[in-house]
Amino acid sequence: MTSMLHAPRSRTPVEVDSFRPSAARMYDYYLGGRNHLAADREAADALLDAVPEVVTAAQQNRAFLRRVVEYAVGQGVTQFLDLGSGYASPGGVPEVACAGDATSRVVAVDIDPGVTAQVGSTARATGVSGRVGAIHADLRDAIGVLEHPVTRRLIDFDRPVAILCLAVLHFVPGELDRVLGPLRRAAPRGSLLAFSHAAASEAPTTTERITRLVYDCTLTPLVLRSEETLTAAVSGLELVDPGIVPVNRWRAPDADAPASTLLGGVARL
Ligand SMILES: C[S@@+](CC[C@H](N)C(=O)[O-])C[C@H]1O[C@@H](n2cnc3c(N)ncnc32)[C@H](O)[C@@H]1O
């Protein structure tokens, strides 16, 4: 373990940094997982003291993930490129996809080396490494992800693929098209592009400021975006009903529930 405190923020870390909170480990903590360290708990607790609804948002995102993956399998799309996958855990993409169709294939991509090590070892331990692979990469290198040997082994780009960007694009600064463009061009017709994203209010709220402040301590500071910006990012694609909505209202049993702070949607290529 090594400290990366002086490493440039844009570089993909080669080792786990146990001194700096990680977005992946903080998220795992919100969800009641076991993949977190003291630095993560300290940062997450500071945030939860001020913004306790972060836990609900994380749970709503996971429920959205499940509905999206089930929707994809229902559409016959059983190949998943899971960008910013987070730790392997119950209710994650491989589990939901394989429950829907045992032949599903998943490539999990994450900037956090601890995540991809754990995803890879979980796949081996559960005997699914022939169908589930992990790539340690920054999704901003979309071409590198597409050309990676693990992607080449598991994903057939002659068949539709579900590109999942769930709760990750808000850790990616700059124009979303720089990331989404190459992915959109590589995926064949009938593919799906799903995303969830922390929404920006018209005027930044105290909650948003505190959340950004806490994530500024991580390697992946938070970038909130408006619904208009997210809609523009998928322009030219057909949005699956009901479009871009709070994640807890996307094809959910209780579509009248109070709106989540995360917006999400699925577009068809
Ligand atoms: C909040 S978690 C979401 C996990 C999962 N997608 C879900 O929705 O349950 C965000 C994940 O994105 C990863 N991440 C952040 N920036 C990234 C980047 N530029 N490239 C790849 N992964 C990234 C983090 O390490 C973390 O594991």
Side-chain angles (χ1 to χ4, degrees), residues 16 22 24-25 27-29 31-36 62 82 84-95 108-129 132-136:
V16 169
S22 126
R25 298 192 302 257
Y27 184 68
D28 186 75
Y29 182 64
L31 292 172
R34 292 163 62 175
N35 301 293
H36 39 79
R62 292 295 281 199
D82 187 10
S85 66
Y87 285 95
S89 60
V93 174
E95 186 188 283
V109 179
D110 208 285
I111 198 170
D112 189 317
V115 167
T116 41
Q118 186 259 8
V119 172
S121 61
T122 303
R124 285 189 293 280
T126 52
V128 295
S129 54
V132 177
I135 301 177
H136 175 218

Side-chain angles (χ1 to χ4, degrees), residues 215-237:
Y215 276 93
D216 276 351
C217 303
T218 70
L219 190 73
T220 53
L222 199 59
V223 186
L224 303 176
R225 292 187 176 89
S226 67
E227 185 177 341
E228 291 68 36
T229 304
L230 297 174
T231 304
V234 290
S235 67
L237 303 180

Side-chain angles (χ1 to χ4, degrees), residues 28-80:
D28 186 75
Y29 182 64
Y30 306 146
L31 292 172
R34 292 163 62 175
N35 301 293
H36 39 79
L37 303 170
D40 312 305
R41 293 188 286 274
E42 204 175 310
D45 284 338
L47 178 57
L48 294 176
D49 278 349
V51 192
E53 51 273 29
V54 166
V55 168
T56 306
Q59 292 166 344
Q60 290 169 332
N61 183 62
R62 292 295 281 199
F64 173 71
L65 176 154
R66 172 178 286 278
R67 292 194 299 279
V68 166
V69 173
E70 287 174 348
Y71 173 81
V73 173
Q75 297 291 305
V77 181
T78 56
Q79 311 188 92
F80 295 86

